Amino acid sequence: MNRVTILCSLMLTIATTSLAAAQGPTSSLAQRSLPGNPSVPGEQVDGANRDLSWYYRELPPPRKIQIKDIVHIRVDEAAEMESEGNLNRRKQANFNALLANWVHLENLKAIVPDQQEDGSPQITGQLTSRYRTQGTLETLEEVRFRVAATVSEIMPNGTLKIEAQKEIQVNNETWTYYLRGVCRVEDIDPNNVVLSERLANLSITKQETGHIRDSYKRGWLLKIWDGWKWF
């Protein structure tokens, strides 16, 4: 490379640098000009984030949800309870009753004292009662599924009432899920999914029919027996 070529390249580089400094720095990624350095050290540069960052991307506008739109719900509910009880009750009673005076009706006109010719009747008894019970309860319940719900009503403050129904049938077994709740538009993520924990007035109902359900379902007589708790 001769001296003329080197000199031409150097002059071209200087000219390009001067032109860029005069116009301000540009971003090859965003294809827009960025504000130059402040003239006074420490002075803030005027401009929004989109003007100061090479990687800024405009967020999509929020989607307007209307009635009958579909919203996906991810249900993940868990409840755990542990209880332990112990009861020991014992009662003992002694009683002694003596009937010293009595009356009888004489000719349907008067009530007169009735003498006890064989002595005053007396009852003596003793009652002992003991009741002891011990119980332990530990439950863990989890409900996890996904369901698509429809917007049934848009309230005046913008919150949404949603309802969902899902039915799964495998051979003779059927599972039916019902869900209702109220959520905010802000709680729906960009993927159109809302978590069940963000729903207010949440109501989840699960019904099961089939041979498996029949194997542990109580009969009507057992329901009456457990309802009255006779013993």
Side-chain angles (χ1 to χ4, degrees), residues 70-185:
I70 296 178
V71 178
H72 298 277
I73 303 175
R74 183 184 302 167
V75 180
D76 189 358
E77 299 291 332
E80 183 176 358
M81 181 179 63
E82 182 178 354
S83 177
E84 182 177 355
N86 190 1
L87 176 63
N88 189 1
R89 184 176 62 188
R90 185 174 182 178
K91 293 182 179 180
Q92 185 174 1
N94 298 323
F95 57 91
N96 187 0
L98 176 64
L99 182 60
N101 298 310
W102 193 242
V103 294
H104 72 277
L105 184 61
E106 187 177 54
N107 297 327
L108 300 177
K109 294 181 179 180
I111 298 177
V112 296
D114 186 10
Q115 300 293 331
Q116 305 295 324
E117 298 178 356
D118 297 332
S120 299
Q122 184 176 2
I123 299 177
T124 303
Q126 182 178 1
L127 176 63
T128 302
S129 175
R130 184 172 183 179
Y131 178 75
R132 182 176 182 181
T133 180
Q134 181 178 0
T136 300
L137 175 64
E138 182 177 356
T139 61
L140 177 61
E141 299 179 359
E142 293 184 356
V143 179
R144 294 181 180 179
F145 63 93
R146 292 188 179 186
V147 64
T150 57
V151 179
S152 61
E153 182 182 352
I154 300 178
M155 305 181 72
N157 60 350
T159 56
L160 310 175
K161 284 188 177 182
I162 55 179
E163 298 180 356
Q165 178 179 351
K166 184 176 183 179
E167 182 175 327
I168 302 174
Q169 183 173 0
V170 179
N171 295 331
N172 294 326
E173 304 297 325
T174 304
W175 295 270
T176 306
Y177 300 90
Y178 300 96
L179 185 144
R180 290 180 298 176
V182 179
C183 73
R184 303 183 306 167
V185 179

